[in-house]
Each structure stands twice: as structure tokens, then as C-alpha cells.
Amino acid sequence: MASKIALVGILNILTLLHLFSEILPLHASKLNPNSCSVIERDALLKFKEDLDDSAGRLVSWVGDDCCKEWLGVECNQETGKVTKLDLRNPSDPFVVDLLTFQSSQLRGNLNPSLLELKSLEYLDLSLNNFENTPIPDFIGSLHSLTYLNLSLSSFVGLIPPNLGNLSNLVFLDLHAFILEFNNVFPIPNIWVSDLNWISQLPSLQYLNLGYVNLSLASDTWLHEVNKLPNSLHELHLPSCHLQNLPISLPVVNFSSIHVINLRDNNLTSSSIPQWLFSLCNLQTLVLSFNQISGELNDFVGGLSKCKNISLEVLRLSFNQLSGEIPNTLGNLKNLKHLALKNNFFSGSIPEPIEDLSNLEILVLSANKLNGTVPEFIGRLNKLVFMYLEDNYWEGVISDSHFLQLKNLKEFVFSSGNNPMVFNVSKDWVPPFSLQLLNISNCQMGSISNSKFPSWLQTQKDLVFLRLQNVGISDQIPDWFWELTPQLQVLDLSHNKLQGKLPKSLVFPIPRFSQVDLSFNQFDGPIPLWQGLSFLSLRNNLFSGPIPENIGQGLLGVGMNVLDLSWNSLNGSIPSSLTEMLNLKVVSISNNQLSGNIPPWENNLQQLLAIDLSGNNLLGSIPISLCSQLSLQILSFSNNNLTGKIPPCLGILSSSLRLIDMSRNHLEGEIPEEITSLSELRSLNLSWNQLTGKIPNQIERLEDLQTLDLSNNHLSGPIPAIISFMPLLNQLNLSNNDLSGQIPAINQLKPFNDPSIYEGNPKLCGPPLKISCSKSTKNDNGYGPKWFLWLSVVVGCLVVVGLLTACGGLIIKSSWRNAYFQFVDESKERISTSFNSMPLVLKGKKYWERL
Ligand SMILES: *[C@@H]1O[C@H](CO)[C@@H](O)[C@H](O)[C@H]1NC(C)=O
Ligand SMILES: *[C@@H]1O[C@H](CO)[C@@H](O)[C@H](O)[C@H]1NC(C)=O
Ligand SMILES: *[C@@H]1O[C@H](CO)[C@@H](O)[C@H](O)[C@H]1NC(C)=O
Ligand SMILES: *[C@@H]1O[C@H](CO)[C@@H](O)[C@H](O)[C@H]1NC(C)=O
Ligand SMILES: *[C@@H]1O[C@H](CO)[C@@H](O)[C@H](O)[C@H]1NC(C)=O
Ligand SMILES: *[C@@H]1O[C@H](CO)[C@@H](O)[C@H](O)[C@H]1NC(C)=O
Ligand SMILES: *[C@@H]1O[C@H](CO)[C@@H](O)[C@H](O)[C@H]1NC(C)=O
Ligand SMILES: *[C@@H]1O[C@H](CO)[C@@H](O)[C@H](O)[C@H]1NC(C)=O
Ligand SMILES: *[C@@H]1O[C@H](CO)[C@@H](O)[C@H](O)[C@H]1NC(C)=O
Ligand SMILES: *[C@@H]1O[C@H](CO)[C@@H](O)[C@H](O)[C@H]1NC(C)=O
Ligand SMILES: *[C@@H]1O[C@H](CO)[C@@H](O)[C@H](O)[C@H]1NC(C)=O
Ligand SMILES: *[C@@H]1O[C@H](CO)[C@@H](O)[C@H](O)[C@H]1NC(C)=O
């Protein structure tokens, strides 16, 4: 009995041993067929080793079985071969903040060990950061790939044409940039030499090469794409420098295509290409931001041959299309999204648009549409976004225009030259709850009785509210300020709004919100509102002092633009203003402020413009201003400032463009250091008590356009160089004590007006009628040789040796001209318009609407 048991035991052991002997030397995968092979595991580990994975996304890549619990790795159940590697950055840049996004990016090198994964079908490395390296060649040898996504991963250089070897490829996504995130994804320099290789991908259904420079393929791209058999469903080539859009194509191979996106390619075409007309399966056509002209009629007419026009998205904004919006558009019954912004469409909105009952987005902005806005628009009950602004509308917009628009989220409207009335009934309860309302240049309510719109009380989701120049003459009701805790942008400028503002309010997104209440009749004290980046209260009746704590803490930390000009504010400038560390523009001009200019102890790194003109400010100009190293515009005119012009301003030589210190009591000499301000375009020191000479080194201000030194006590000669300053076009030296002959070499300049020299009894020569005695001639510090040299410079275009130097100068100055114009205008404009797009529009959907 015992031996029997022993025998069975021995047999069992033998069987086991036998089994082991067979199994042990073999590979683990045979034991368990769906676990990964050593070779593939080692390949993955090698691949991981070369990556810089600071967020530890690949910590699960340990242990033997790469098919189990290795993040992003998937294997074939039967063979145990790795088939999928999905290492897409899990942080969505549309959702998380920049740092979170960047910290979860994989970096480093792509090790060719991946070639060991012979069955790899799916490779997604998108949203990582391969730091401006080219797409490695070996990718073209991963023959089993059907899905390859290397988008938004900072690859640069030539896309290897051997990707054409990936003959099984179905999805290829290499797009390199997203418009809405231009600081997250800078446009990389990535290109192709041709697109021949594309035609070697017979199974391709999806192709996205957005932002890849295809200019070397611009003549052939369509033909290469057309060589693909009839499998291609989506073609995305936005911003690819294609340029060339053939109007006809003899045979259209890709007739099953659903999506064509050729946005922003500077495509020049005299019509919408014929070959598009035969694409009956087309669902999305995006040709926005090109140079396509012609009419819409032909295109829609062409499509009408299809039994079922499947077109859902038609985006043609920012082209040169013209003519009327065709009636036939009503045939596009499946249309959800129609964007025609910024073309030359004329006439009215045709009636058949009413048949587009699926329409969700309607963008007709910035055309030449006229007539009344038809009421049937109010029956397009799926509408979410309706943008009609910048056309020539007339007549009335009433409740009926919104009758069934229960889904409407954004409404943008303005009328052109014709008076237009927005007249809804008194107790109107709109069917919608808007997030964005933007109405300008029309009359809300009747002219005689334009109340603040009470229907806004029902709009509790508003993020952006702009009612600009709509003739409201009323107080803002109390309910308004409680209405919208999520409001980010409020623009009620150019109305006749009256009354006082709430003393304190907290805006939802700190440092972001923007408020423009300029050009109204508000009175009372300046409010203290938290969370703003932009506040304009310009041209109102605000009075009293500027609150002492205006710049402190949350009140000031995010402020970029503060415009309190043209009110009746008095008292002194609070020094807390200099605590607004993000300030770019501050204007408090034209009030009744007194006292000294506070010292700017903080270096406000971003400060561009200070305008304190038109007050009663006393004392001297604080030298601490010289440490505001980005300052471009400094205006202190019309005050009672005394003392000298601080020479240290010369430090701001790489930024300062405009100085206006006119109408003060400044004395002493014009500091020579001012002449080192090489960017200076405008210098106005008129109406002061300045003495001494005009510095000779003024020649260094070669870009100066405006020089006004009138009404001072300046003496000595006018430096001859002034008449050679290439861009100078406004000069006033009147009412000083200047002497000698007026330099008059360059007759092209508008320096022949005698009034700019008047009031200087010792000046002589043309254009003044006083002729110079011999002794005063050339009393301007320069001898005849100097004049000769200047003549040579002026005439240098004909002197061969100087040709290039001259050419350079001309190009440079025209560029600078344009720039200065910008700065000059911005003096007016910068403080009265919003400086950034509101968050609500920053989401990816915004550009996708145009
Ligand atoms: C490729 O990856 C990007 C970013 O992760 C994603 O948005 C896109 O849809 C992917 N492409 C395809 C074809 O799946
Ligand atoms: C891959 O493509 C390149 C160029 O496109 C070609 O020269 C090469 O022979 C191809 N290799 C294989 C293995 O097909
Ligand atoms: C695109 O590539 C062409 C040809 O290589 C080059 O001339 C052009 O400068 C590139 N464009 C951009 C915007 O990089
Ligand atoms: C259409 O596709 C087929 C299949 O790839 C190809 O043989 C043919 O040359 C293509 N036609 C044109 C006009 O490119
Ligand atoms: C767009 O095309 C026009 C004419 O085809 C050309 O003059 C212009 O320079 C191009 N613009 C860009 C940005 O390439
Ligand atoms: C027409 O096309 C639309 C959109 O592609 C589709 O939803 C609808 O079913 C089609 N209708 C018919 C009758 O084929
Ligand atoms: C609209 O403009 C067209 C010309 O583009 C003109 O013929 C027509 O009379 C205008 N209609 C109205 C209502 O002003
Ligand atoms: C508001 O409307 C004006 C035109 O009236 C337009 O220029 C501006 O871009 C619009 N802004 C938004 C955010 O809709
Ligand atoms: C505005 O609408 C009211 C009725 O709601 C009407 O009596 C009035 O005439 C309309 N005004 C204009 C200018 O259309
Ligand atoms: C400011 O003006 C008000 C009248 O609006 C006056 O009562 C007050 O004294 C003034 N304050 C200063 C400091 O001038
Ligand atoms: C400012 O100067 C003007 C004239 O130059 C003078 O009338 C006024 O009293 C001065 N104001 C102050 C506060 O000194
Ligand atoms: C300089 O300032 C004075 C007084 O503010 C002004 O009248 C004059 O027009 C200005 N000069 C120029 C050239 O703008």
C-alpha cells in the first residue's frame, strides 16, 4: 500500500518534472500566451529609458508582463504581441493650466527600439514635447501601423518621406499647432519636400498635416491626394502655405470624402473650385481665410445635383466672395453651421434660409448685407450662435426675431449707417439665456424713452455684455449688479447712463475682467472693484479724490489698463497706483488733481504709457520714472510742474517714443541725455521756461517726427542737422531767443512756414523776411564742409558707393513710420479698447465658428 502510494507519488513527480523540463527552457509567453515577450518588453524599457518622464507617467512600466498594467501598452490577446502604444499626454490643454499641461509632457528621444514591436498598429505620442527634433526616420519602418498620431509634439524639420512605407496606415495626424494656444504651442518649422509619399498610403482615411509647411508641394498637393483611392474621409490641411487651389480636376478620386479643411492657405481662386461640386458626401467644407472670389450660387447649384446634400458645415469666412446669398442655400437642409464673415455678400437674407431648420451657427458678420433682418430668423430654433454685426441693416429688431430661439447663447449685432431700432416689448421674457450679448450702434428702445433693458434681468448666464452706443439714457438698476456674478466683460460705453456706481464689486476671475463705462454721465466717487484687468471710466462726471488704496492688493494686482481721464477728480495721485505691478497704461488726464507726482518706487516691468496731462500737478518730475524700463509714452503736459527735465530719462533709450511736457514751468537746459533716446518720435517741451541751447546731438534722434520747443527761452543757433532729420514733419521753434541763420537746405521739408520761427528776434534768413547780415551767416555751428557732406547724404541714391546704405535707410524708415503711427494712435486708442479677448471666446470653439 505504502509502495503504491510511493509509486503514484513518484509518477506524479516524474510527470511534473517532465512537464517542467518541457516548459522551463521555453519562454513565458508560451505558458501564458497573452503576456509579452522579453524582446518586446526590453524594447519598451529601452524606449522608456530615453524618455524624460518627469511626471512619472510610466512608473507602471515595471515587471515582466508589459501587457498587464503597463500604462498605454496593449497587446493582442492571442499572440501577446504589443499592438498599441498610446502615450498621448493625458492633460487636455483646453482644460488644465499651462504648467500642469507642460509638466505631464514626455520629453527626450525616441529610441528606435520600438522597431522590435513588429505588430505595433497604433502609436500616439501627441501633446508631448520632443523639443524641436525631427520625426525620426525609423517611424517609417513600423510597417504594421494603422494609426499614427504625432500631433502637437514640437517635431520640426522635414517629415520623413519614408512614412509612405506605412502602407497599412488609416489615420495619419501630424498637425503641429492650435491657433487658440499660440503660447502653448509655438508654430514649429516643420515641412515636406513633396507629397508623393501620401499617394502610397492606399488605406488612408484620415490625414491631418495642419500647420506643416507644404509650400514645396503647393503645385502638386491636390494631385497627390487625388491619387489616393476612394478611401479618404477627412483631409485637414489648415495653414499649410498651399497657395494653389486648382479650379478643375479631370477625375475626382476622393468622392467619398466627408471633411475638407483648407483654412488659411492664402488660396487664390476666382471661384469656389468646380471639383467640390461633385462631392455629394461632403459634410464639412472649410475654406475660411483664403483669397477666394466669385459667388456662392454656382457652388450651391452644383451640389444641388446630389440626391441628398449631406453638407453640415460650410465655412467661407474671410474671403472675397460676393453677390447675393443664393436662394438655393435653402436646399442644404442638413446645414448646421454657416459662416460667411468678412466677404462682400450683398442684398438681404433670402427667405429659404428659413428651411435650414438644423442651423446652429449663423455667421454673416462684416458683409454688405442690407434691408431688414427677417423675422423668420426667430424660427430657426436650433440656433446657438448668431453673429450679424457690421452690415447695412435697417428697420427694427423685435421680440419676434427671437421667438423660438431657446438655445441661443451668443448674439452679436450692430447696424451700419442706417438708424436701427432694437425694440422689444416692455415685459419681454426672452426664450434664451445668453452668455454673450454684443449690440452696438443702434437705438435700444425709443429715442425719447430709452430705458435700461429690463429683460436683461432674465439673463443670468451672461459672461460678456456689450451695449455700446445704443442710446440708453437711464440709471443702471440695482438688480443689474447682482445679476451676473460670472460677468467677465462689461462694456456700456457711449450711452447716457447716469447715477452712481456701487462702491465695491468683486469680479469672478481675478486679474481678468474688463469694464468699459466710458463716455457716459456717471457721477459720484470712483468705485473700487476687484479682479479687473481693464477699467475705463473716461469722460464721465466722477468727482472727489481717487481712493488712496486703489492700487492695493486684489484691487490693483491684475490691472493692465486704467483710464480715469476726463472727469472731475481732485486731491492728489495716490501712491498705491505704483503698486499695480501689471500696469501697462495709466491715464488720469484732464481732471483737477493736485499735489506731486508720486515716486514710482516699484519697477513696473510692463508699464507702457503714463498720461497725467491736464491737471494741477506741482513739484518736479520724479527721477524714479527713469527706472520704468519699458515706458514708451510719457505725457505730463498742462500741469504746474517745476524743476528740471531729469537727464536720467536718457536711460529709457530703448523704449521711450513720446515725451510731452508742454505747458508746465520746467526750467534749466534741455539735457543732452535726451538725445540718446534713439526710439523717440515725438518731443514736445513747448510752453516752459527752458534755457540754453538746442543740443547739437539732436541729430542722434534720426527717427524724430515731431519737435515742438516753442515758447521757451532757448538761445543760440538752430542746429543745421534739424533740416536733415529724415522723418521730421512737424517743427515749432517759435517764441524763443534763437539766433543766426535758419538752415534751409532741404527744400522738401515743410520747414518753410515762417510761423515756426516767429518770436525769435535774432533769427534771420528765409522763410523769415529778415535777411542775414554777413556776420550772422553760418552762425549755426557748422562750416561749409559739413553742408557739403549733408548734400551728399541727401543725394546718395545716385552715388553708387552709398546705394545700399541708402536703400537700407529707406526701408527702415518706412517700417518705423508704420510703427510710430501705431504708437501715436495707441496714445488715444490703447486706453479705450479692450486689450485681450475674453476667456469665454478663448475656448477652441471660437475659431471653429469662422
Ligand atoms: C491626435 O491627437 C490629437 C491630440 O491629442 C487629437 O486631438 C486628435 O484627435 C488625434 N487625431 C486622431 C486622428 O485621432
Ligand atoms: C521606404 O521608403 C524609402 C523612401 O520613401 C525607400 O527608399 C525605401 O526603400 C523604403 N523601405 C522599405 C523597407 O520599403
Ligand atoms: C515654407 O517653406 C518654404 C520653402 O522651404 C520657405 O521658403 C518658407 O519660408 C516657409 N514658410 C514658413 C512660414 O516657414
Ligand atoms: C485614382 O485612384 C486610383 C487608385 O489608387 C489610381 O490608380 C488613379 O491613378 C487615381 N486617379 C487619378 C486621377 O489620380
Ligand atoms: C497671398 O497671395 C498673394 C497673391 O497670390 C500674394 O501677393 C501674397 O503675398 C500672399 N500672402 C502671403 C501671406 O503669402
Ligand atoms: C442625408 O444626409 C444626412 C447627413 O449626412 C443623413 O443624416 C441623412 O440620413 C441622409 N438622408 C438620406 C435620405 O439619405
Ligand atoms: C440693398 O443693396 C442693393 C445693392 O447691393 C440695392 O440694389 C438694394 O436696393 C438695397 N436694398 C435695400 C433695402 O436697401
Ligand atoms: C462685438 O461687436 C463688434 C462690432 O459691433 C465687433 O467688432 C467685436 O468683435 C464684437 N466682439 C465680440 C466679442 O463679439
Ligand atoms: C416698438 O414696439 C412697440 C410695441 O411693442 C410699438 O408700439 C412701437 O411702435 C415700436 N417702435 C418702433 C420704433 O418700432
Ligand atoms: C474736491 O472737490 C470737492 C467738490 O467737488 C471739494 O468739496 C473738495 O474740497 C475738493 N478736494 C480737494 C482736495 O480739492
Ligand atoms: C498753476 O499755474 C497756473 C498758471 O500757470 C496758476 O494760475 C495756478 O494757480 C497754478 N496752480 C497751482 C495749484 O499752483
Ligand atoms: C505741443 O503742446 C502744445 C501745448 O500742449 C500744443 O498746443 C501743441 O500743439 C503741441 N505741439 C505739437 C507739434 O503737437
Side-chain angles (χ1 to χ4, degrees), residues 541-609:
L541 306 169
F542 291 104
S543 60
I546 301 174
E548 197 52 52
N549 57 342
I550 189 163
Q552 282 168 8
L554 287 174
L555 293 168
V557 67
M559 193 70 85
N560 286 162
V561 175
L562 178 65
D563 189 350
L564 305 176
S565 54
W566 298 95
N567 281 289
S568 304
L569 303 171
N570 65 6
S572 56
I573 299 178
S575 57
S576 74
L577 210 59
T578 67
E579 290 171 33
M580 297 182 166
L581 293 181
N582 289 299
L583 203 60
K584 292 194 170 91
V585 176
V586 55
S587 175
I588 327 179
S589 67
N590 299 290
N591 282 286
Q592 285 126 43
L593 298 168
S594 50
N596 294 338
I597 300 175
W600 296 73
E601 269 146 19
N602 292 308
N603 175 9
L604 304 186
Q605 308 267 340
Q606 308 190 37
L607 194 63
L608 296 177

Side-chain angles (χ1 to χ4, degrees), residues 402-421:
F402 303 98
L403 199 61
Q404 295 172 26
L405 305 188
K406 53 181 189 302
N407 297 309
L408 198 65
K409 290 276 172 261
E410 302 194 356
F411 180 63
V412 185
F413 186 83
S414 70
S415 62
N417 308 328
N418 303 317
M420 176 93 206
V421 185

